[in-house]
Amino acid sequence: MQRSGEKQPINFVILTISLLAVCYNCILAFINHNITPLTPSAVVLSEILLQVAAFTYLLTKGIYEEDIAPLLYLLLTIVLTIFVIAINKQAYIDHLRNVMIIFAFSIMGRLANERTVKLAFKISCFIVLAVLVLEIVSVKEYVALFHPAEYFQNTRGVPPATYSDIGLFRGALGFEGRFSFGLIDHRSSSIFLEQVSLANFCGVMVLYLISFSNRLGLFDRLLFFSTVVLILLTNDTRTMLIFSLVCVAGYFIYPWLPKTLDLLTMPGIIVVGFVIHALEPSVTGDNFVGRINGTVKAFLGMDLQSTIGLQLDQVGIFFDSGYVYIIYGATIFGLILFWLYASLYPGGETVNQRRLGHALSLFLFLNLMIGSTAIFSMKTAGLVWLLVGFLKFNEGSLAKRPQELSLATSG
């Protein structure tokens, strides 16, 4: 038993996996330009190694009764994946990979102590902020360090923009007429080298602040708050700006809302999306209403075959329509499983758990309506589910329960 006043031991395995999940992209980018050119296989191998490390660690610890929900989610997803592959005679494990990340980090969150979780978020935030400041102060030095355009060309097959030779990823360059605060002449990307992941990282930091602020000291609060504000001012992310403003009010409102309300968030957002489409059906393009209309039109274009996974060859067409992308790749049942897990798995007893649960549902399901499945990326999803798993089992009645009999041999 830990003595009063004694520091909790750092779980270096969980800490290392969590930090590498956030930082591996920029590490690979540095290697790509300064050591040896990389191919797409380098990115795939990096994710596989992190997944293997996480699963190996979990196997040494054993799977307990508390882990039945993530385990069942993973097993059902494996069944769906086999079904989709079998009927299409085409290999596809993208959604399974996403669920494996959720599974691994949910359980690692249960195994982590507060000190480890705090360090994972603090170090990640500090690194992102430091590189973000460098990017703002000197784009030239930032590009010299990572060469984002070259990295994405080598590892993703994305050609550099023809209208710019600055060396940034083409998606981060923005375009005339796009929403912007005008503080910098592109969309900031920091260590992620592309703007979408940095925007989602901002959302993850908001989730952490709204559910963990009473556990943080003044310096940590200032660090996370400053990072969120600086990302919002330079990344030009409309979705995370809306999400952050809602969470300011939600900090006070969420504790009073029942946990069951999380189940209504996804259908509620989809209904609102259809209403917006009915009011503004002609709006298109890279704006908030245009993206919603794109997703709704994709919904309306679906048939029975697409909902049960019989049109896997068209999944790539809907990469920017998250809900539809999941359905095409994992059937309607894959989306239902994700909805149930994301809505029901987070704890709902304590104030912090309710804040996290409500904010998480909004973060996930709003993103799926206006964007791609970037919320599943290991670069940001790892920290999200680490936090979910930790709060679920370290606050409320579950924090006081003795561990049940292991369902797997403990190492």
Side-chain angles (χ1 to χ4, degrees), residues 53 59 61 82 89 105 115 121 141 162 164 181 187-188 219 318:
L59 288 174
K61 294 297 179 181
I82 294 173
K89 298 179 181 177
F105 282 90
R115 189 182 180 199
F121 275 84
E141 294 299 324
T162 56
S164 173
F181 287 103
R187 298 184 64 189
S188 58
F219 174 81
F318 304 101

Side-chain angles (χ1 to χ4, degrees), residues 292-328:
I292 290 175
N293 280 342
T295 298
V296 173
K297 288 176 182 177
F299 265 125
L300 295 173
M302 296 180 68
D303 55 19
L304 179 61
Q305 286 189 323
S306 57
T307 60
I308 60 173
L310 289 172
Q311 295 181 344
L312 180 62
D313 57 323
Q314 298 185 34
V315 66
I317 301 174
F318 304 101
F319 189 74
D320 285 329
S321 301
Y323 288 114
V324 180
Y325 185 81
I326 294 175
I327 294 172
Y328 268 82

